[in-house]
Amino acid sequence: MNKSIAVIRGDGIGPEIVGQAMGVLDAVAAKYGHSFSYKEAPMGGNAIDAFGVPLPEESLKTCMESDSVLLGAVGGPKWDAQPSANRPERGLLKLRGAMGLYTNVRPARMFADLSAACPLRADIAAKGIDFVVVRELIGGVYFGSHATETVDGEQKATDIMAYTEHEIRRVAHVAFQMAQKRRGRVTSVDKANVLDTSRLWRRVVGEVASEYPDVELLHMYVDNAAMQIVRDPSQFDVIVTENLFGDILSDEASQITGSIGMIPSSSMGEGKRGLYEPIHGSAPDIAGQDKANPIGTILAAAMMLRYSFDMAAEADAVEAAVDAVLKEGYRCGDILQSGGTLVGCCEMGRLIRAHI
Ligand code: IPM
Ligand code: MG
């Protein structure tokens, strides 16, 4: 198969980790007889520097015309003084919105070989961690109106959180269908004791649930969910939640698996085109030093193979290669435990390619 991939290297460690993921994709192409063509789509702080805006029209066009998009990470302190409408992150939000990517899937799975890196008590970790956060990605407070004004001689800031029924319903369907292929349990997370958007969320998710009698639905307040994720993560199978809650809970969920550096994500809408990225940020403190862990991005590339290109065997091969390298004891700095062999970003990529 021939597939076109838009490549957003981004800022900080982005270019390093994306380079390694592309190397793994090339190894897959060589082994399985595919060809992947790449087209650069500058976005983030580097795009502000070069073009004055975080998401140039040309980059958006490249993404919309490709079969899929691979992204490293954007942002960094260099662009902190940008007006909020021109921050690097705005480019990412605009891209998600323009591509209609309403479902963000972030798996929280503990790798057997990394259980020592899990910060939870051993008896909690022993019960295993294997759940998925399904985050609504183009609604809620991220996409409501934002304003800062002067009122009575002081600054006042407002961010509007809004949801419509169809925005809730479409992502709920994705969560229930995912649970059907997993362990049949959806936990819907909201703050229905305080927020109107959450009360609507709870009602609509409940209605969608009636179409999936084989899936069990639980509702949970977000504060309780944040606590339950560290108290007993084994109770979760699929968590579905709105944009901001999902942003926060998915970072928490990733860290209990050992390292945020390991976790990929997919963002999809209708159709097969998706945006694939690690869930961590641009880590400017270690940028350019060959210290970044490329595994989150490599596993994001595996998700691209599986969900956008229907290449299940190829995706399995990438995941197996990551498992094999971990089993051999190779570790980047973020997941290094005593007894492991410390390797840099390039070497980790090379080791994984060698197993494809
Ligand atoms: C994420 C990130 C983004 C978000 C930022 C960079 C805008 O934290 O993908 O989780 O908040 O969605
Ligand atoms: Mg986040």
Side-chain angles (χ1 to χ4, degrees):
M1 272 196 258
N2 295 320
K3 294 288 179 189
S4 61
I5 301 172
V7 175
I8 303 173
R9 294 177 194 265
D11 307 313
I13 59 172
E16 300 166 62
I17 54 180
V18 167
Q20 295 311 316
M22 290 166 71
V24 170
L25 285 170
D26 288 339
V28 166
K31 167 139 186 208
Y32 292 87
H34 303 303
S35 89
F36 299 136
S37 61
Y38 305 103
K39 191 158 178 205
E40 303 283 336
M43 183 179 93
N46 62 91
I48 294 173
D49 291 347
F51 308 101
V53 290
L55 179 64
E57 282 305 317
E58 188 61 30
S59 294
L60 179 57
K61 189 162 166 274
T62 300
C63 293
M64 303 288 279
E65 288 172 353
S66 66
D67 291 319
S68 211
V69 184
L70 180 67
L71 163 65
V74 297
K78 181 174 175 199
W79 302 282
D80 273 352
Q82 287 286 328
S84 77
N86 208 50
R87 288 182 59 94
E89 293 82 358
R90 278 291 146 154
L92 180 57
L93 299 183
K94 186 175 167 198
L95 181 63
R96 288 171 177 170
M99 291 180 69
L101 307 174
Y102 59 80
T103 304
N104 179 225
V105 173
R106 300 184 164 185
R109 177 169 76 88
M110 189 161 69
F111 292 77
D113 296 289
L114 290 186
S115 56
C118 172
L120 300 182
R121 228 171 48 214
D123 61 310
I124 299 174
K127 291 165 80 179
I129 301 172
D130 181 9
F131 63 95
V132 177
V133 178
V134 176
R135 168 188 175 192
E136 197 293 321
L137 201 60
I138 53 174
V141 71
Y142 275 69
F143 284 80
S145 57
H146 309 278
T148 306
E149 59 200 320
T150 305
V151 175
D152 295 335
E154 63 175 351
Q155 293 260 282
K156 177 183 174 188
T158 311
D159 303 286
I160 302 290
M161 180 189 270
Y163 268 103
T164 57
E165 291 180 274
H166 83 273
E167 290 174 321
I168 302 167
R169 195 173 297 118
R170 62 191 180 184
V171 70
H173 277 290
V174 175
F176 282 99
Q177 284 160 21
M178 188 169 292
Q180 282 181 320
K181 294 193 203 127
R182 292 176 48 96
R183 300 193 303 278
R185 170 185 278 219
V186 168
T187 307
S188 174
V189 172
D190 62 39
K191 189 70 183 172
N193 50 347
V194 177
L195 302 177
D196 271 39
T197 44
S198 282
R199 277 193 280 276
L200 184 66
W201 182 278
R202 195 172 275 225
R203 175 171 71 70
V204 172
V205 173
E207 285 166 14
V208 172
S210 63
E211 296 177 42
Y212 301 89
D214 50 333
V215 177
E216 179 192 9
L217 169 65
L218 288 97
H219 297 283
M220 195 178 276
Y221 295 140
V222 63
D223 47 351
N224 185 29
M227 185 264 283
Q228 295 295 339
I229 285 173
V230 289
R231 194 190 70 85
D232 178 18
S234 73
Q235 71 186 282
F236 295 110
D237 180 20
V238 175
I239 289 178
V240 64
T241 192
E242 67 88 38
N243 205 342
L244 180 62
F245 298 161
D247 178 47
I248 298 167
L249 293 182
S250 61
D251 266 34
E252 185 192 15
S254 71
Q255 187 56 37
I256 60 168
T257 67
S259 172
I260 193 169
M262 301 288 297
I263 309 293
S265 84
S266 72
S267 304
M268 299 189 79
E270 305 297 339
K272 286 276 175 192
R273 184 184 301 114
L275 169 67
Y276 298 85
E277 56 179 314
I279 85 158
H280 59 72
S282 60
D285 53 320
I286 57 165
Q289 300 168 39
D290 194 35
K291 284 184 181 164
N293 183 353
I295 294 180
T297 319
I298 289 169
L299 292 174
M303 288 181 101
M304 175 188 291
L305 295 170
R306 192 182 302 284
Y307 298 117
S308 280
F309 301 163
D310 289 319
M311 297 180 182
E314 291 84 336
D316 287 346
V318 173
E319 290 169 2
V322 169
D323 283 341
V325 169
L326 292 173
K327 192 154 260 112
E328 287 164 4
Y330 296 105
R331 301 282 186 272
C332 290
D334 59 325
I335 50 173
L336 183 67
Q337 300 284 319
S338 63
T341 307
L342 179 65
V343 296
C345 184
C346 292
E347 179 62 5
M348 183 57 93
R350 192 194 65 76
L351 288 162
I352 293 169
R353 282 199 304 280
H355 277 277
I356 299 287

